[in-house]
Amino acid sequence: DTGVSQDPRHKITKRGQNVTFRCDPISEHNRLYWYRQTLGQGPEFLTYFQNEAQLEKSRLLSDRFSAERPKGSFSTLEIQRTEQGDSAMYLCASSPPPTQYFGPGTRLTVL
Amino acid sequence: AQSVTQLDSQVPVFEEAPVELRCNYSSSVSVYLFWYVQYPNQGLQLLLKYLSGSTLVESINGFEAEFNKSQTSFHLRKPSVHISDTAEYFCAVSDWGGGSQGNLIFGKGTKLSVKP
């Protein structure tokens, strides 16, 4: 059990650029969740997968956000045309429900 | 809808003193409760959880929390804190089961600052 990993740990980008984050869950966990955490707040749920199926999309913040989990293994979260308001920590968690285990997060800064 | 309230945004305490971080939740269904700890620029680490059974749960580093259904609370306590306990603590609730999504609803966090 190597834990949940996320890459990159930090990303600095300019407004309008696209960014993609990767999450590798604990191998035997079939559920994977994405959250966003802004300064001074608790994490906010974005979307989740059961194996390769994305079962909830409506909580993604806008149509600029999308996520995939091909083959039910790693997952990617993409933000298109980034805005300064997208600056936050993006967290991934994998789960044998109801418990969730989090990765180290990706800190996004949009200039 | 579920919600979590952490009543204190910051808690300063001296080393070796006891501490209590308060958490109240609201939910119309049975819940599972969690405490996570976050160190600066890191992800969340699971500290302890209540799933069922004994209402008092403990962590390996001396923290404990008690599930109180009548008061809808899950307060976190430690009898003697260390400098290394300085971090932000998040209470979370899940209603997983019966077709729910199982996502966590978090409070806004409590920053514990342990002073020498």
Side-chain angles (χ1 to χ4, degrees):
Chain A
D1 177 357
T2 58
V4 180
S5 62
Q6 291 187 247
D7 185 71
R9 294 290 307 277
H10 303 275
K11 178 70 176 180
I12 299 174
T13 191
K14 293 182 179 180
R15 189 176 54 185
Q17 297 294 305
N18 299 343
V19 294
T20 300
F21 311 139
R22 176 177 170 130
C23 172
D24 287 88
I26 296 170
S27 58
E28 62 267 29
H29 293 177
N30 56 16
R31 282 204 175 191
L32 187 150
Y33 294 81
W34 284 98
Y35 294 81
R36 183 182 79 158
Q37 185 181 21
T38 54
L39 203 60
Q41 301 295 319
E44 171 190 20
F45 169 64
L46 296 178
T47 188
Y48 85 105
F49 295 84
Q50 170 88 18
N51 299 312
E52 67 274 13
Q54 188 175 12
L55 299 182
E56 173 59 62
K57 296 183 185 180
S58 66
R59 305 284 288 276
L60 286 168
L61 301 163
S62 79
D63 59 7
R64 297 184 296 106
F65 287 70
S66 63
E68 294 183 343
R69 192 182 183 195
K71 301 180 182 178
S73 56
F74 70 92
S75 176
T76 57
L77 178 69
E78 181 180 16
I79 309 174
Q80 296 182 330
R81 305 181 303 280
T82 52
E83 301 173 357
Q84 288 186 325
D86 297 332
S87 295
M89 174 80 89
Y90 291 84
L91 295 163
C92 169
S94 75
S95 176
T99 306
Q100 295 188 22
Y101 298 91
F102 284 81
T106 295
R107 169 78 63 189
L108 173 66
T109 302
V110 182
L111 302 176
Chain B
Q2 296 173 305
S3 66
V4 175
T5 302
Q6 292 185 243
L7 297 164
D8 305 295
S9 60
Q10 297 188 51
V11 173
V13 64
F14 287 106
E15 193 174 17
E16 298 184 4
V19 71
E20 178 180 79
L21 307 184
R22 296 179 292 169
C23 173
N24 287 89
Y25 69 93
S26 65
S27 175
S28 57
V29 299
S30 297
V31 295
Y32 303 97
L33 294 158
F34 305 86
W35 277 99
Y36 287 87
V37 58
Q38 186 175 38
Y39 299 98
N41 294 314
Q42 294 189 24
L44 278 72
Q45 298 177 25
L46 180 65
L47 189 59
L48 46 76
K49 60 186 177 183
Y50 171 77
L51 302 183
S52 65
S54 172
T55 58
L56 183 66
V57 291
E58 299 177 351
S59 72
I60 58 173
N61 57 354
F63 283 95
E64 65 178 31
E66 185 162 19
F67 170 55
N68 188 318
K69 188 174 182 180
S70 63
Q71 297 188 4
T72 61
S73 68
F74 191 54
H75 301 331
L76 181 69
R77 302 183 182 95
K78 189 171 185 179
S80 176
V81 295
H82 303 287
I83 298 287
S84 59
D85 293 324
T86 295
E88 190 158 18
Y89 293 79
F90 290 93
C91 181
V93 64
S94 169
D95 68 349
W96 178 81
S100 74
Q101 298 171 161
N103 59 286
L104 296 173
I105 305 296
F106 286 88
K108 291 188 175 182
T110 298
K111 291 184 178 176
L112 175 64
S113 175
V114 181
K115 305 173 186 299

